[in-house]
Amino acid sequence: MDQAFPPHTVVTMPALSPTMTSGNIGTWQKAAGDVIAPGDVLVEIETDKAQMDFEFQEDGVLAKVLKDSGEKDVAVGNPIAVMVEEGTDVAAFESFTLDDAGGEKAPPAKESGEEAAESSEPADSGSQTSPSTLPKSEPKESAPESQGSESSGGRLQTSLERAPLASPSAKALALERGVPIKKVKGTGPGGRITKQDIEKYKPETSAAPSAPAGSAAPTYEDIPASSMRKTIANRLQQSMNQNPHYFVAATVSVTKLLKLRQALNSSADGKYKLSVNDFLIKASAVACKKVPAVNSSWREIDGQVVIRQHNTVDVSVAVATPIGLMTPIVKGVESLGLSSISAQIKDLGKRARDGKLKPEEYQGGTFTVSNMGMNAAIDRFTAVINPPQAGILAVGTTKKVAIPSSAEEGNGVEWDDQVVVTGSFDHKVVDGAVGGEWIREFKKVVENPLEMLL
């Protein structure tokens, strides 16, 4: 069958992360007959963590799409399209099928451990605290071929289809305001939901339809868990079960830090704008270099348990996105200046919210900072460790606190800007006294911020 077609290349579902076993087909950026150059985006692929661009690396012409937009759970290695050289008759491939491409295999059942791996590090890390392999469930019996004619002929929707088409800014605003984006009618091109649509949204106030006699109307709504939400759930449950957490809190003065930040920003001439979080991330790296036991992880390699102590400090920064929490990584923070840290965080944060991070930009890291200081209601909180890391710092909001005046005369008071930070540490790796030492070093550098510039 295959010999009847001109010379061609079958394009298969790529593995866009070390643990990816299947993906969903998003929007095709090319159509049959389009010329493709190396680096062109062929199609968007949805993984558990993000929607990513599949960039083709060869010259050619797209002859036929074998998997339409919205197809779900396409196994890695399965055919998705056919490419030919320029000048080849594309019309000859109109009858080309998946069987002509060699057929397709069923996607493997995804294990919860595999899902969890995408949030921190590749599965082959050898870490005992990295996602564990859980027993595979028994394969389900294949469903019998449809016999009746009651089917509408439509196919199951993927999460890409179930989730309305919306701009990144619209998704972010909907998350912030708690707007159910599925109920918003888009006015943009192709029904795309815009930021203005979210701002104009008004909840429906019409009365619910009367329930059948003898039954009460449901007082809840079941919302299907997305792949990413399942990943987050498995990840956090695994962390709490496998890592004995303990917590160390401290009140830290940021008065000097805020003055230094103001001075640096006022002299920046618009080249940068430092945030408090930029300073705290840098301070975390300084503390990790002074107390390297915290910048470590528990691992099992070839049957031997080791504690790996990292020579560089790669800080994972918790970012809330419309689809869930992500932790993009600022690498080598100990050797970066504040302006470089600030620029990287802004870039990584934006791409995280847009779902455009590459796997290597959110997998790994040696320490995490989670800052909820932008919410004035949060005095303090504790965070869950991101395995295989051994520590995470939770940062609350800044409060003005009256303290005894340092002036020689009188018994007056002065106002001090303070923040409560709480370190969560893995007791397998970091003893209690060591966690306390790390908090002391962090507090010292934050309260004397010029040390960050040395």
Side-chain angles (χ1 to χ4, degrees):
M1 206 179 232
D2 193 47
Q3 287 75 8
F5 297 97
H8 59 274
T9 300
V10 175
V11 181
T12 60
M13 170 66 78
L16 298 178
S17 75
T19 56
M20 177 178 168
T21 58
S22 64
N24 301 338
I25 302 293
T27 304
W28 283 93
Q29 302 298 319
K30 300 290 183 179
D34 287 353
V35 176
I36 299 176
D40 283 355
V41 176
L42 182 62
V43 63
E44 294 176 350
I45 303 293
E46 182 194 22
T47 69
D48 280 348
K49 294 298 291 184
Q51 185 167 308
M52 306 175 68
D53 294 334
F54 174 26
E55 297 180 359
F56 205 68
Q57 300 303 321
E58 297 179 21
D59 290 305
V61 176
L62 180 60
K64 185 169 184 179
V65 171
L66 299 176
K67 288 290 185 180
D68 294 330
S69 295
E71 293 281 354
K72 73 171 186 176
D73 294 333
V74 180
V76 170
N78 274 2
I80 61 173
V82 181
M83 299 288 296
V84 296
E85 294 183 355
E86 286 194 60
T88 303
D89 182 17
V90 173
F93 290 86
E94 288 184 3
S95 61
F96 194 93
T97 67
L98 282 169
D99 289 335
D100 296 319
E104 58 180 337
K105 60 182 179 181
K110 191 157 194 181
E111 302 172 11
S112 61
E114 291 174 356
E115 288 179 345
E118 296 195 17
S119 115
S120 177
E121 65 169 14
D124 61 358
S125 64
S127 169
Q128 179 69 12
T129 56
S130 67
S132 57
T133 303
L134 301 178
K136 292 186 179 180
S137 59
E138 293 295 324
K140 297 181 180 178
E141 295 182 6
S142 58
E145 189 173 341
S146 176
Q147 301 292 328
S149 59
E150 295 181 2
S151 169
S152 65
R155 54 181 170 77
L156 292 175
Q157 289 184 315
T158 69
S159 58
L160 289 176
E161 292 173 313
R162 290 194 300 269
L165 185 64
S167 67
S169 60
K171 291 179 181 178
L173 185 61
L175 177 67
E176 177 183 336
R177 297 189 176 184
V179 173
I181 200 166
K182 290 184 179 180
K183 297 183 179 180
V184 178
K185 182 176 177 60
T187 59
R192 187 180 183 89
I193 298 172
T194 66
K195 186 176 180 181
Q196 289 72 27
D197 295 328
I198 300 297
E199 292 173 342
K200 295 177 182 177
Y201 172 78
K202 293 182 179 180
E204 296 180 1
T205 56
S206 58
S210 59
S215 64
T219 57
Y220 57 84
E221 177 185 3
D222 289 332
I223 302 173
S226 65
S227 295
M228 183 170 179
R229 179 50 52 190
K230 293 176 185 176
T231 297
I232 293 172
N234 288 324
R235 191 76 185 158
L236 297 181
Q237 184 178 36
Q238 177 201 38
S239 179
M240 293 302 292
N241 288 341
Q242 296 185 6
N243 303 314
H245 287 55
Y246 71 91
F247 310 98
V248 182
T251 299
V252 181
S253 171
V254 292
T255 298
K256 292 181 181 178
L257 186 151
L258 293 177
K259 290 180 180 178
L260 176 60
R261 170 178 175 261
Q262 183 180 20
L264 292 174
N265 283 341
S266 62
S267 62
D269 295 328
K271 295 178 182 177
Y272 56 80
K273 185 176 181 181
L274 303 177
S275 69
V276 172
N277 206 39
D278 301 332
F279 285 87
L280 299 183
I281 289 169
K282 180 66 176 180
S284 296
V286 173
C288 282
K289 294 299 288 184
K290 291 186 176 181
V291 188
V294 172
N295 196 46
S296 305
S297 54
W298 179 275
R299 297 171 183 265
E300 183 175 339
I301 302 175
D302 298 329
Q304 180 182 4
V305 174
V306 301
I307 294 177
R308 179 176 295 175
Q309 195 169 106
H310 303 279
N311 296 324
T312 61
V313 185
D314 300 335
V315 179
S316 302
V317 183
V319 176
T321 75
I323 58 174
L325 183 71
M326 295 196 72
T327 52
I329 303 163
V330 182
K331 299 182 178 179
V333 176
E334 78 284 353
S335 61
L336 295 178
L338 289 166
S339 60
S340 296
I341 294 171
S342 180
Q344 287 195 41
I345 291 175
K346 288 181 174 65
D347 173 62
L348 290 167
K350 181 180 184 303
R351 290 193 288 117
R353 286 183 284 270
D354 292 346
K356 297 296 184 181
L357 286 180
K358 299 176 181 178
E360 61 269 21
E361 292 176 317
Y362 59 79
Q363 291 178 347
T366 63
F367 187 82
T368 298
V369 173
S370 180
N371 191 341
M372 294 181 68
M374 69 292 299
N375 186 335
I378 307 300
D379 289 333
R380 67 180 72 195
F381 70 102
T382 56
V384 179
I385 295 170
N386 186 20
Q389 298 173 13
I392 181 172
L393 185 71
V395 182
T397 195
T398 303
K399 299 283 188 180
K400 285 191 175 294
V401 178
I403 61 173
S405 175
S406 57
E408 295 182 2
E409 68 281 354
N411 297 318
V413 296
E414 58 187 23
W415 294 101
D416 186 36
D417 291 294
Q418 297 181 356
V419 62
V420 177
V421 298
T422 306
S424 305
F425 301 101
D426 181 357
H427 220 315
K428 300 196 310 293
V429 181
V430 183
D431 289 334
V434 177
E437 180 67 18
W438 188 93
I439 287 289
R440 182 169 67 178
E441 291 295 340
F442 175 83
K443 177 180 173 75
K444 177 184 175 184
V445 72
V446 170
E447 294 184 344
N448 299 279
L450 288 177
E451 290 187 16
M452 300 184 206
L453 307 180
L454 298 179

